[in-house]
Amino acid sequence: MIIVGICGASGSGKSTLARRIQESLTCNCIIIGQDCYYHNFAHLPFEERVHLNYDEPSIFDYDEMLRDIDDLQAGKPITRKGYDYAHHLRDDSSELIDPPEVLILEGIHMFHDPRLLERMSLKVYMHVDIDVCLLRRIRRDMKSRGRTIDSITEQYMETVKPMYEKYIANYIKVADFAIMRGGKNNMAIDCISAYLTTKVLAESFQRDAARAEEAPEPTTDLS
């Protein structure tokens, strides 16, 4: 299984890039968003959950994500994780995800845990102007996450921008390369797709060669 990590600011186009890469591949590819692995704070009242810092690295359950990745690499299915943005609660399901040939991991702190970095064959950073990211975030949160402009503004000033400057902007240092202009950069998508297709074919060839070596030699009947 080939693992691709996509990291960058909120609104930089990570999810769009992941979907475009997935659509460009002919092999089996799945996407897992880091947002699905928030720690669950169901024990807290909604008023407290609203004011948690959802942009700091420790808000995510890296151990749970690593267990799922390791299971997929071992050929085991995992259950689909999810998150309810309107109520700030985990929203997991019993739906099974089978091990793919390509696994794309995307999130604002996808490059934070060194154990995740070790598992990635390719690390991509979305290098997009932070003001553009903010405008995209406003449009997304109001349209699909039930947020008001006041709540978006408050969260941006209190947590999003400070965490970007402290952590996310620095993740570019561990990336293999950076993508400009967001998730609709066709040249970047073509390059990544070509790289992954080559890797998938190479892994398939290696598996076939290993099976051929392990297969017993045919016996000759001398009777």
Side-chain angles (χ1 to χ4, degrees), residues 27-46:
C27 63
N28 182 18
C29 172
I30 65 168
I31 301 167
I32 292 181
Q34 191 175 25
D35 286 0
C36 296
Y37 288 84
Y38 280 122
H39 284 292
N40 201 17
F41 296 96
H43 60 287
L44 297 177
F46 176 77

Side-chain angles (χ1 to χ4, degrees), residues 36-121:
C36 296
Y37 288 84
Y38 280 122
H39 284 292
N40 201 17
F41 296 96
H43 60 287
L44 297 177
F46 176 77
E47 292 74 17
E48 291 186 35
R49 296 198 302 270
V50 169
H51 293 289
L52 292 173
N53 185 348
Y54 289 95
D55 293 276
E56 66 172 350
S58 63
I59 200 74
F60 297 104
D61 192 336
Y62 296 96
D63 291 338
E64 183 181 24
M65 175 174 271
L66 284 160
R67 285 194 297 271
D68 279 354
I69 293 171
D70 288 343
D71 281 345
L72 289 173
Q73 286 188 310
K76 303 174 185 177
I78 64 172
T79 55
R80 184 175 295 280
K81 308 305 186 293
Y83 194 75
D84 182 339
Y85 295 97
H87 298 94
H88 300 289
L89 290 170
R90 285 285 291 267
D91 188 23
D92 300 347
S93 75
S94 59
E95 178 188 352
L96 292 179
I97 298 175
D98 292 320
E101 293 174 280
V102 174
L103 172 63
I104 300 177
L105 306 173
E106 61 92 2
I108 59 173
H109 291 296
M110 195 54 71
F111 295 170
H112 181 75
D113 192 305
R115 298 171 299 173
L116 283 172
L117 292 175
E118 290 174 358
R119 288 161 170 79
M120 295 175 188
S121 298

Side-chain angles (χ1 to χ4, degrees), residues 9-12 125-136 156 164 179-182:
S10 176
S12 61
Y125 183 85
M126 306 300 291
H127 192 45
V128 179
D129 187 277
I130 191 63
D131 292 333
V132 174
C133 293
L134 172 58
L135 293 174
R136 291 174 177 171
Y156 181 80
Y164 171 80
I179 290 182
M180 319 297 287
R181 304 193 306 276

Side-chain angles (χ1 to χ4, degrees), residues 158-170:
E158 290 185 358
T159 64
V160 177
K161 189 172 185 290
M163 293 300 99
Y164 171 80
E165 293 172 344
K166 183 176 181 179
Y167 295 106
I168 301 169
N170 294 314

